[in-house]
C-alpha cells in the first residue's frame, strides 16, 4: 500500500468496485481498502436485481453471477390470498437473483484489472483531517496503522459506514427507518421456480416484508425485514422468520444465516464534502420500498468515479466541484425514484392488514407493461381512488 | 455498559448504523463497543435482529 493515491476508496462492495474501476480506467491511481478478509462475504443481501438495471453496466452477464433467473413475482396479502404480477412479455426474464459471492468478487477483479489496487483486512480507523478537510484515511492493515493520503476519498463502506462520521457528517439512521433483517438460505423447499414471492402484513412482518427469492432448484433466500421500532425481545427479525419458516417450510434445511440492516430513510442531506464523496448504502441510498441497493450503489459508484476524475483533472476537489455528483444523482431516474418511493413508503407502513388486503385484491393478477415498483404503485393508485386522498401529495410524482 | 454476546452476534452492523454516538464499530467478524462514549440509549439492543446486545452491570 502506497502512502498516497489520487483516489482512496473505503469498502470493496459493488459501489466501491465501480468507483475504483471508473477511476482506474480514467488513468487515476486508486486504492480500495476492504476491512474484511474476503470480497463478497459474508453476504448481507437478498441478492435480487432487475434485468434492465444490471444490464446498464455490462454487455454480457456472466452466468456464474446468476443463481436464478426471475420471470415474475407474487404478492401474498395478510389474509393469505395471492396475486401474480406478470410481465407483459410472459416468459421473459425480468430480473436475477445474484450470487453475490461471485458477483462482488468479479467487480473488484474488473477494477483491479483496470489498474486499481485492492487490500483486504484493511480498515479505515479514522479520517486524516486538516482544517476540517479530509486528506485521506488512517488504515489499519493487519494490525499496522498507516496514513494514506488522497485527493479524493470515496466512502463506500455500506450500511455500517463510519468514514463519513469520522469526517463530521451525521449518518445515523433513525431506528424506525432501519429495517432489521434476517434471512436463511434454505434447501429442500417447495418454491415456484422463477417467481419471487413477497408477503406483507403487520402480524407476520410489521412495517416490512418477507421474501422468497429462488436461488436454484428447491433452494431460496427466505428472509424478512421489520422496522427497528417493531423489534424487541421475543419478536425480533429472526423470531418472525423462524415462525414463518416453521409454518411454511417445516421440512426445509437451513444452510446459511444472513443478518443485516437496510436503511429506508431519506438519503443523506448532502453526499459530498471537500475531497469526499459518499456512495451507495453509506449515503443511505437503498430503496425505501424494496430495500434494494445493488444498482444504486453501482450507479453512484460509477458516477463518483467519473466526477472524481474530472475534478482531479481540473485540480479542484472542493465540495463545490464535487456537487456535480450530488446534483446528477438527485436528478437521475434513481434519485427521483428514491424521493418518490420514500413518500410512498411513509404511507404504506401505516396501512392496516385490512387495508393491505383490499389494495392487493384490487390489483390481483395485473399484467405489467413495465415490471417495476413504480408501475405497481401507479396501478394501486388507479384502482384505489379512496387511497388517493392519502396519496394526493404523491400525485406530482406520477404526472 | 453494553455487552455483546459473541456467541449470538451475526456481526451484521445493523446496530452500528443506528448508534447516535458512533460508539459501535464492526471490525471484520466482531463488534466493538466504546462504552466511554455510549449513552446507554439501548437503540442497538432494540434493533439487533438476533438479540445479541444487552445491558450489563459488569464493569
Amino acid at each position: 500500500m502506497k502512502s498516497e493515491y489520487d483516489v482512496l476508496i473505503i469498502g470493496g462492495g459493488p459501489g466501491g468496485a465501480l468507483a475504483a474501476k471508473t477511476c482506474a480506467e480514467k488513468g487515476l491511481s486508486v486504492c480500495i481498502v476492504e476491512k474484511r478478509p474476503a470480497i463478497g462475504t459474508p453476504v448481507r443481501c437478498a441478492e435480487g436485481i432487475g434485468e434492465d438495471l444490471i444490464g446498464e453496466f455490462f454487455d454480457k452477464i456472466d452466468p456464474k453471477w446468476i443463481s436464478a433467473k426471475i420471470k415474475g413475482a407474487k404478492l401474498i396479502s395478510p389474509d393469505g390470498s395471492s396475486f401474480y404480477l406478470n410481465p407483459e412479455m410472459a416468459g421473459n426474464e425480468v430480473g436475477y437473483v445474484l450470487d453475490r459471492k461471485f458477483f462482488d468478487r468479479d467487480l473488484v477483479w474488473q477494477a483491479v484489472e483496470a489498474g486499481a489496487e485492492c487490500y483486504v483486512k484493511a480498515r479505515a480507523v479514522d479520517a486524516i483531517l486538516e482544517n476540517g478537510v479530509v486528506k485521506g484515511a488512517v488504515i489499519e492493515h493487519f494490525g499496522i496503522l498507516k496514513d494514506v493520503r488522497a485527493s479524493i476519498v470515496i466512502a463506500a463502506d455500506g450500511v455500517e459506514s463510519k468514514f463519513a462520521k469520522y469526517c463530521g457528517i451525521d449518518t445515523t439512521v433513525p431506528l424506525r427507518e432501519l429495517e432489521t433483517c434476517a434471512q436463511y438460505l434454505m434447501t429442500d423447499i417447495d418454491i415456484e421456480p422463477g417467481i419471487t414471492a413477497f408477503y406483507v402484513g403487520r402480524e407476520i412482518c410489521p412495517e416490512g416484508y418477507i421474501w422468497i427469492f429462488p436461488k436454484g432448484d428447491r433452494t431460496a433466500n427466505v428472509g424478512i425485514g421489520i422496522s427497528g421500532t417493531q423489534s424487541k425481545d421475543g419478536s425480533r427479525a429472526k423470531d418472525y422468520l423462524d415462525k414463518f419458516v416453521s409454518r411454511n417450510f417445516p421440512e426445509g434445511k437451513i444452510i446459511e444465516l444472513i443478518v443485516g440492516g437496510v436503511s429506508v430513510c431519506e438519503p443523506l442531506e448532502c453526499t459530498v464534502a471537500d475531497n469526499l464523496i459518499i456512495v451507495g448504502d453509506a449515503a443511505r441510498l437503498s430503496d425505501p420500498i424494496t430495500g434494494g441497493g445493488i444498482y444504486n450503489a453501482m450507479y453512484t459508484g460509477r458516477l463518483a468515479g467519473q466526477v472524481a476524475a474530472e475534478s482531479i483533472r481540473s485540480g479542484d476537489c472542493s465540495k463545490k466541484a464535487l456537487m456535480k455528483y450530488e446534483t446528477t444523482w438527485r436528478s437521475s431516474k434513481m434519485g427521483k425514484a428514491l424521493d418518490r418511493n420514500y413518500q410512498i413508503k411513509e404511507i404504506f407502513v401505516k396501512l392496516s392488514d385490512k387495508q393491505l388486503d383490499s389494495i392487493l385484491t384490487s390489483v390481483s393478477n395485473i399484467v405489467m407493461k413495465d415490471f417495476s415498483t413504480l408501475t405497481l404503485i401507479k396501478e394501486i393508485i388507479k384502482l384505489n381512488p379512496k387511497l388517493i386522498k392519502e396519496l394526493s401529495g404523491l400525485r406530482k410524482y406520477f404526472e | 455498559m453494553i455487552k455483546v454476546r459473541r456467541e449470538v452476534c451475526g456481526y451484521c452492523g445493523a446496530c452500528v448504523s443506528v448508534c447516535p454516538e458512533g460508539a459501535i464499530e464492526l471490525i471484520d467478524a466482531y463488534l466493538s463497543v466504546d462504552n466511554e462514549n455510549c449513552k446507554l440509549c439501548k437503540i442497538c439492543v432494540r434493533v439487533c435482529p438476533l438479540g445479541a446486545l444487552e445491558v450489563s452491570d459488569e464493569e
Side-chain angles (χ1 to χ4, degrees):
Chain A
M1 200 181 304
K2 296 199 271 279
S3 52
E4 192 159 1
Y5 294 91
D6 293 325
V7 180
L8 174 64
I9 297 171
I10 316 294
L18 264 285
K21 183 177 172 225
T22 309
C23 289
E25 283 169 351
K26 294 189 182 289
L28 300 179
S29 68
V30 51
C31 177
I32 303 174
V33 288
E34 166 57 51
K35 69 180 175 185
R36 296 191 176 277
I39 302 288
T41 59
V43 172
R44 287 236 224 78
C45 185
E47 304 179 293
I49 189 165
E51 191 265 337
D52 51 331
L53 296 179
I54 192 170
E56 198 181 304
F57 297 93
F58 310 100
D59 300 329
K60 220 179 124 239
I61 306 290
D62 189 324
K64 75 171 185 300
W65 300 344
I66 310 298
S67 291
K69 293 178 182 172
I70 300 306
K71 292 179 163 47
K74 184 179 166 181
L75 286 175
I76 298 93
S77 64
D79 67 7
S81 38
S82 62
F83 312 102
Y84 287 90
L85 305 175
N86 298 309
E88 193 170 54
M89 299 288 285
N92 271 20
E93 281 137 51
V94 292
Y96 302 106
V97 177
L98 296 174
D99 193 328
R100 291 277 310 265
K101 284 169 190 160
F102 287 108
F103 182 67
D104 287 27
R105 232 198 292 196
D106 271 12
L107 293 188
V108 169
W109 186 281
Q110 287 181 7
V112 169
E113 269 193 324
E117 288 180 28
C118 176
Y119 297 90
V120 296
K121 223 154 158 67
R123 183 173 64 96
V125 297
D126 209 348
I128 301 172
L129 296 174
E130 287 173 10
N131 301 320
V133 174
V134 60
K135 299 284 184 183
V138 183
I139 306 297
E140 187 183 62
H141 188 214
F142 283 100
I144 294 163
L145 295 176
K146 185 180 168 93
D147 280 8
V148 179
R149 300 177 70 89
S151 305
I152 291 177
V153 179
I154 297 179
D157 44 351
V159 70
E160 80 262 29
S161 131
K162 283 304 268 285
F163 195 79
K165 255 188 186 164
Y166 299 150
C167 301
I169 296 167
D170 185 12
T171 60
T172 309
V173 179
L175 179 66
R176 74 173 188 95
E177 299 199 300
L178 194 280
E179 291 288 304
T180 166
C181 305
Q183 172 177 276
Y184 293 132
L185 173 55
M186 298 192 71
T187 64
D188 209 9
I189 54 175
D190 280 323
I191 51 164
E192 290 179 61
I195 301 290
T196 49
F198 299 87
Y199 293 73
V200 291
R202 301 198 78 88
E203 197 167 321
I204 60 164
C205 47
E207 294 172 28
Y209 67 89
I210 289 173
W211 62 85
I212 301 173
F213 284 7
K215 286 279 281 179
D217 189 27
R218 296 179 60 75
T219 297
N221 286 333
V222 181
I224 183 173
I226 60 169
S227 159
T229 43
Q230 298 291 332
S231 168
K232 40 189 99 71
D233 269 338
S235 56
R236 297 181 183 276
K238 182 177 175 290
D239 301 315
Y240 281 106
L241 179 61
D242 285 335
K243 226 183 273 174
F244 179 81
V245 163
S246 66
R247 203 163 41 223
N248 292 275
F249 303 119
E251 307 294 323
K253 317 286 185 294
I254 295 164
I255 56 171
E256 191 170 344
L257 164 71
I258 292 152
V259 277
V262 178
S263 69
V264 291
C265 54
E266 289 179 285
L268 296 183
E269 219 170 281
C270 184
T271 56
V272 292
D274 290 332
N275 308 343
L276 175 70
I277 305 179
I278 311 165
V279 306
D281 281 9
R284 310 309 181 209
L285 296 180
S286 40
D287 186 283
I289 293 181
T290 64
I294 305 171
Y295 171 82
N296 297 358
M298 289 169 73
Y299 168 80
T300 51
R302 181 175 63 185
L303 179 64
Q306 288 161 349
V307 172
E310 284 167 31
S311 302
I312 288 169
R313 207 179 305 125
S314 68
D316 179 6
C317 301
S318 66
K319 177 177 179 178
K320 204 175 154 212
L322 299 180
M323 277 303 284
K324 189 178 170 192
Y325 164 80
E326 167 97 7
T327 51
T328 305
W329 76 252
R330 279 199 199 267
S331 58
S332 72
K333 202 174 158 192
M334 179 210 78
K336 287 180 185 151
L338 284 177
D339 183 24
R340 181 186 65 230
N341 289 0
Y342 180 78
Q343 308 301 334
I344 296 170
K345 181 225 51 168
E346 285 292 274
I347 290 167
F348 272 72
V349 291
K350 294 185 190 96
L351 295 176
S352 68
D353 281 6
K354 222 175 130 195
Q355 285 171 306
L356 281 170
D357 282 332
S358 84
I359 286 173
L360 291 180
T361 307
S362 74
V363 296
S364 63
N365 302 323
I366 59 164
V367 172
M368 297 171 84
K369 268 200 204 89
D370 160 26
F371 201 79
S372 67
T373 42
L374 172 59
T375 311
L376 176 61
I377 300 291
K378 271 188 187 165
E379 284 293 326
I380 287 177
I381 291 173
K382 203 164 74 193
L383 296 164
N384 294 276
K386 272 191 208 146
L387 251 191
I388 295 275
K389 223 177 179 184
E390 298 215 341
L391 292 173
S392 59
L394 298 176
R395 255 201 197 131
K396 61 176 177 172
Y397 295 104
F398 297 102
E399 275 158 5
Chain B
M1 63 183 284
I2 297 291
K3 196 181 143 211
V4 183
R5 295 164 66 199
R6 287 178 196 229
E7 69 283 9
V8 176
C9 176
Y11 44 94
C12 73
C15 52
V16 178
S17 63
V18 293
C19 175
E21 307 305 323
I24 314 179
E25 167 117 42
L26 177 62
I27 303 171
D28 189 7
Y30 65 92
L31 269 187
S32 142
V33 182
D34 174 1
N35 277 296
E36 301 235 315
N37 284 316
C38 169
K39 300 234 161 63
L40 274 185
C41 70
K42 300 183 214 169
I43 286 176
C44 57
V45 177
R46 280 285 292 280
V47 85
C48 177
L50 300 175
L53 296 166
E54 57 188 23
V55 179
S56 149
D57 298 332
E58 291 166 40
E59 279 306 312

